[in-house]
């Protein structure tokens, strides 16, 4: 190296280090931790060398393998969080994290209790990924075993914590998983175990896996009618159907086209009651009776039940009333947007009119 150039470089280095130290003492706007990068770029420029191109920003690969649905539905900021956090272990994909974020808070957009402040209606969970709060403190929590206290409502903290939990609960060491807790759901046993430990229900596992598939562009989705979860619903002896009301709910159920929330609700209801479906989509009017409002039935987001535990639905049916009141306690993705029945409950989302004296109607509003 030319001695003159070397001398200039040394002088520049000393001057910049001195300036950095003095500046770091005088103002927090120039932290000493940033000096090496700043010095390196300046020296390279002083010597006439070409500086290295800037590093690729974290999360820039977030669109890799993303379907058009994912790109349209997931905010760019959240897509970056999911992409970065998925590096926690080999068995985890960003699509799984995104599916959890969608179900739990619509990627932070939900106005439900506990998403942006406080806790949910059960008094246990908070934040965009709906973590179970430890020690009853909703503002901060241990980011899953790291000892770091973080903001539960901040997705920059919550998403990586969710990733670490999923990895610790089975995805990091899939070979250790011996039994599949949700054999009627597509996917690996390790994924099912990890997701079921996140929310102890196979319907939840099914929703996450299905949404993750919709967020992925690399492989064709499983034909809806061949989904093992759907086939299990069709075969469930606690769910029967009738065509007596002009609908064909059996064919609708077997098609696999029902909204995920309706499928999940039916699976949960069948654990508590025997039910008869009187209408899903086919045979139902396009509009809500007497209005020009499109019915949720016509877009696969509603179900009518006319028999509960062997009792036809009516004001005198105790089983139907029990089912209706139980619906009010649901929290998260299964909480209905509308519940029609013979019972005058007098608060949202309940309603009762002449058209809902012989069945229980459960519907969900649109979510992208």
């Amino acid at each position: 190296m030319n001695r003159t150039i070397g001398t200039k470089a040394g002088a520049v280095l000393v001057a910049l280090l001195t300036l950095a130290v003095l500046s770091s003492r005088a103002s927090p706007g120039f932290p000493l931790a940033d000096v090496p990068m700043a010095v390196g770029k300046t020296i390279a420029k002083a010597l006439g060398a070409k500086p290295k191109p800037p590093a690729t920003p974290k999360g820039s690969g977030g669109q890799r393998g993303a379907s058009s649905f994912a790109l349209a539905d997931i905010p760019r900021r959240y897509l970056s969080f999911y992409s970065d956090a998925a590096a926690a272990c080999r068995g985890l994909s960003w699509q799984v994290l995104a599916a959890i974020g969608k179900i739990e808070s619509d990627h932070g957009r939900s106005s439900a209790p506990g998403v942006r402040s406080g806790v949910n209606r059960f008094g246990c969970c908070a934040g965009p990924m709906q973590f179970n709060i430890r020690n009853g403190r909703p503002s901060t929590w241990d980011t899953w075993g790291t000892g770091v206290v973080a903001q539960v409502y901040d997705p920059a903290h919550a998403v990586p914590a969710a990733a670490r939990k999923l990895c610790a609960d089975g995805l990091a060491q899939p070979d250790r998983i011996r039994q599949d807790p949700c054999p009627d759901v597509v996917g690996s046993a390790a994924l099912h175990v990890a997701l079921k430990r996140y929310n102890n229900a196979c319907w939840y596992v099914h929703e996450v896996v299905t949404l993750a598939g919709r967020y992925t562009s690399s492989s064709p989705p499983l034909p809806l009618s061949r989904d093992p979860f759907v086939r299990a619903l069709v075969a469930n002896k606690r769910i029967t159907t009738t065509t007596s009301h002009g609908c064909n709910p059996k064919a609708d159920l077997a098609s696999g086209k029902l909204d995920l929330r309706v499928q999940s609700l039916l699976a949960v209801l069948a654990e508590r009651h025997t039910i008869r479906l009187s209408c899903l989509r086919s045979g139902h009017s396009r509009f809500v009776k007497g209005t020009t409002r499109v019915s949720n039935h016509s877009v696969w987001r509603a179900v009518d039940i006319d028999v509960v535990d062997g009792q036809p639905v009516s004001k005198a049916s105790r089983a139907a009333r029990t089912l209706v009141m139980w619906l009010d306690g649901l929290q998260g993705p299964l909480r209905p947007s509308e519940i029609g029945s013979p019972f005058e409950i007098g608060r949202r989302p309940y309603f009762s009119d002449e058209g809902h004296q012989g069945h229980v109607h459960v519907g969900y509003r649109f979510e992208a």
Side-chain angles (χ1 to χ4, degrees):
M1 178 185 291
N2 183 289
R3 179 175 295 180
T4 302
I5 295 177
T7 301
K8 287 182 179 179
V12 169
L13 177 58
V14 171
L16 285 171
L17 285 173
T18 301
L19 176 60
V21 171
L22 292 175
S23 299
S24 65
R25 291 175 180 174
S27 169
F30 187 15
L32 189 58
D34 293 340
V35 169
M37 184 183 298
V39 170
K41 290 181 178 178
T42 307
I43 290 177
K45 186 176 181 180
L47 295 176
K50 292 183 179 180
K52 292 183 179 180
T56 302
K58 289 184 72 178
S60 62
Q63 296 183 7
R64 189 175 303 156
S67 65
S68 57
F69 170 59
L71 296 178
D73 183 50
I74 305 172
R76 183 174 299 180
R77 178 167 171 256
Y78 270 78
L79 186 60
S80 178
F81 292 142
Y82 299 139
S83 176
D84 293 342
C89 66
R90 179 174 291 183
L92 179 62
S93 71
W94 69 260
Q95 286 92 339
V96 165
L97 286 171
I100 292 174
K102 174 67 173 180
I103 292 169
E104 297 294 358
S105 71
D106 192 21
H107 310 303
R109 293 175 294 210
S110 172
S111 59
V115 173
R116 299 172 191 173
S117 64
V119 293
N120 67 4
R121 289 185 176 90
F122 290 140
C124 66
C125 303
M129 303 301 280
Q130 286 292 283
F131 270 100
N132 196 326
I133 298 299
R134 300 178 182 180
N135 302 321
R137 295 181 301 171
S139 60
T140 60
W141 95 117
D142 183 343
T143 56
W144 199 253
T146 65
V148 177
V149 176
Q151 295 297 319
V152 71
Y153 307 107
D154 185 349
H157 293 253
V159 174
R164 287 190 290 272
K165 173 171 169 54
L166 292 168
C167 291
D169 283 344
L171 288 180
Q173 296 178 310
D175 294 340
R176 293 190 176 185
I177 304 301
R178 295 286 179 262
Q179 187 173 358
D180 192 337
C182 302
D184 290 331
V185 178
V186 173
S188 70
L191 178 59
H192 296 169
V193 166
L195 291 173
K196 199 164 186 287
R197 288 175 179 171
Y198 201 98
N199 187 325
N200 190 25
C202 285
W203 67 260
Y204 183 85
V205 176
H206 175 248
E207 287 204 8
V208 172
V209 170
T210 304
L211 274 172
R214 293 177 184 176
Y215 281 152
T216 306
S217 63
S218 59
S219 58
L222 182 74
L224 297 175
S225 59
R226 291 178 54 196
D227 187 324
F229 188 86
V230 172
R231 297 172 74 173
L233 281 180
V234 174
N236 194 319
K237 294 182 179 180
R238 295 175 64 84
I239 302 175
T240 58
T241 61
T242 180
T243 58
S244 61
H245 297 276
C247 299
N248 189 357
K250 185 174 183 179
D252 290 343
L253 184 62
S255 73
K257 295 179 180 180
L258 281 176
D259 186 281
L260 280 176
R261 293 164 293 182
V262 177
Q263 292 181 17
S264 298
L265 180 69
L266 292 177
V268 176
L269 285 177
E271 295 175 356
R272 305 175 59 87
H273 303 277
T274 58
I275 55 176
R276 189 173 79 172
L277 312 184
S278 56
C279 204
L280 286 170
R281 180 181 181 273
S282 62
H284 197 279
S285 60
R286 173 170 171 74
F287 301 104
V288 175
K289 186 177 180 180
T291 75
T292 57
R293 181 164 56 89
V294 175
S295 167
N296 278 318
H297 280 285
S298 66
V299 286
W300 303 96
R301 295 198 303 263
V303 57
D304 287 347
I305 300 169
D306 72 340
V307 176
V308 181
D309 294 338
Q311 302 176 14
V313 172
S314 70
K315 283 188 176 181
S317 172
R318 182 174 297 179
R321 186 177 181 88
T322 298
L323 184 153
V324 167
M325 296 310 297
W326 174 81
L327 290 170
D328 192 41
L330 290 175
Q331 168 69 11
L334 290 193
R335 185 169 177 80
S337 306
E338 52 192 31
I339 304 170
S341 76
F343 312 108
E344 297 282 355
I345 305 299
R347 64 176 181 272
R348 298 181 64 186
Y350 294 103
F351 66 91
S352 182
D353 56 30
E354 62 179 1
H356 292 82
Q357 298 303 299
H359 68 270
V360 175
H361 164 90
V362 184
Y364 293 90
R365 70 170 62 91
F366 172 75
E367 287 186 7

